[in-house]
Amino acid sequence: AQTVTQSQPEMSVQEAETVTLSCTYDTSENNYYLFWYKQPPSRQMILVIRQEAYKQQNATENRFSVNFQKAAKSFSLKISDSQLGDTAMYFCAFMGAGSYQLTFGKGTKLSVIP
Amino acid sequence: NAGVTQTPKFRILKIGQSMTLQCTQDMNHNYMYWYRQDPGMGLKLIYYSVGAGITDKGEVPNGYNVSRSTTEDFPLRLELAAPSQTSVYFCASSRLGTGGVETQYFGPGTRLLVL
């Protein structure tokens, strides 16, 4: 079974600064997908970014980028120019290529300080 | 598109009562899912469906039932509510693309309190 570990329960960052959230996972599969979801106080789960394991290039979406290290089974999220609206829980998630199930980490609570 | 919608937003149940959580998607997605999120935890899969008439158990199915009579709807049924079912429930959907099952999109959640 796959496991996803987020080792930082809480983090804070000053507005306009950069922050990196960590995620490691354990799997025996070679093909899979990794995701970062954002959950603001409204509780809506919002997709931030997605990475296919077969792609060596790290995914980017505007201010959000990932550092995907397949051999190390690491998938960190970097948020640049942090904004107050980035305050939320962030969940890392794994899905095998032939699977339908997302496996989530326990989340990191990010607070952006004005 | 409304995306994935869920009703109700919040409900209080007494122990032993039954209820159905509704989920509808208008994106013509093949796959639909039900997750629960307990305090301080990530989401855990309860049931999923790969198409109308086909459902299967996820990680935590006990105490729940589902049906999928149409592509759009995927209701979750609690038959005998227990305090352990106090949680936030999320419905999600995704489509089968050329590269496999694609990103899951989530509804706004239903908060359930069993007393």
Side-chain angles (χ1 to χ4, degrees):
Chain A
Q2 289 80 18
T3 58
V4 177
T5 302
Q6 294 179 249
S7 59
Q8 305 149 316
E10 292 192 42
M11 294 190 71
S12 61
V13 62
Q14 292 290 135
E15 195 175 6
E17 297 295 308
T18 296
V19 64
T20 298
L21 309 184
S22 300
C23 173
T24 58
Y25 58 95
D26 186 26
T27 183
S28 59
E29 298 186 44
N30 190 48
N31 295 322
Y32 49 86
Y33 303 92
L34 295 162
F35 305 84
W36 279 98
Y37 280 91
K38 169 185 177 181
Q39 187 179 42
S42 66
R43 284 201 301 270
Q44 178 78 47
M45 293 289 287
I46 302 165
L47 176 70
V48 175
I49 201 164
R50 163 189 165 122
Q51 174 81 42
E52 290 83 0
Y54 65 86
K55 290 185 178 179
Q56 293 186 339
Q57 186 173 6
N58 289 326
T60 62
E61 287 288 342
N62 301 314
R63 298 183 295 108
F64 299 88
S65 62
V66 298
N67 183 5
F68 173 49
Q69 300 290 327
K70 190 173 183 179
K73 296 180 182 175
S74 171
F75 183 60
S76 61
L77 175 70
K78 185 172 82 171
I79 306 174
S80 304
D81 185 26
S82 296
Q83 300 176 359
L84 296 178
D86 295 334
T87 292
M89 285 289 290
Y90 286 82
F91 291 95
C92 179
F94 171 100
M95 184 173 73
S99 173
Y100 316 117
Q101 180 169 342
L102 277 171
T103 300
F104 285 86
K106 292 186 177 181
T108 296
K109 183 178 180 181
L110 177 67
S111 298
V112 179
I113 302 166
Chain B
N1 285 355
V4 181
T5 57
Q6 293 182 237
T7 56
K9 291 184 180 180
F10 175 63
R11 181 78 181 268
I12 298 175
L13 279 184
K14 294 182 179 179
I15 294 172
Q17 286 186 321
S18 301
M19 78 164 293
T20 299
L21 283 66
Q22 302 292 344
C23 175
T24 300
Q25 55 91 10
D26 63 359
M27 298 176 282
N28 201 31
H29 284 173
N30 313 89
Y31 299 88
M32 296 187 74
Y33 316 81
W34 275 105
Y35 292 88
R36 60 177 286 172
Q37 183 182 28
D38 298 328
M41 302 293 288
L43 282 66
K44 293 187 177 181
L45 185 66
I46 305 171
Y47 271 95
Y48 66 95
S49 168
V50 302
I54 306 170
T55 63
D56 208 347
K57 297 177 181 179
E59 184 181 357
V60 290
N62 290 344
Y64 307 94
N65 278 299
V66 294
S67 60
R68 183 103 181 264
S69 57
T70 68
T71 300
E72 295 79 18
D73 301 307
F74 190 41
L76 177 71
R77 179 81 176 163
L78 283 71
E79 291 293 349
L80 292 170
S84 61
Q85 292 177 306
T86 293
S87 191
V88 180
Y89 292 84
F90 289 95
C91 180
S93 72
S94 64
R95 72 186 188 106
L96 180 63
T98 54
V101 177
E102 298 193 352
T103 301
Q104 294 184 23
Y105 294 94
F106 287 80
T110 293
R111 184 178 168 217
L112 178 65
L113 182 60
V114 182
L115 299 175

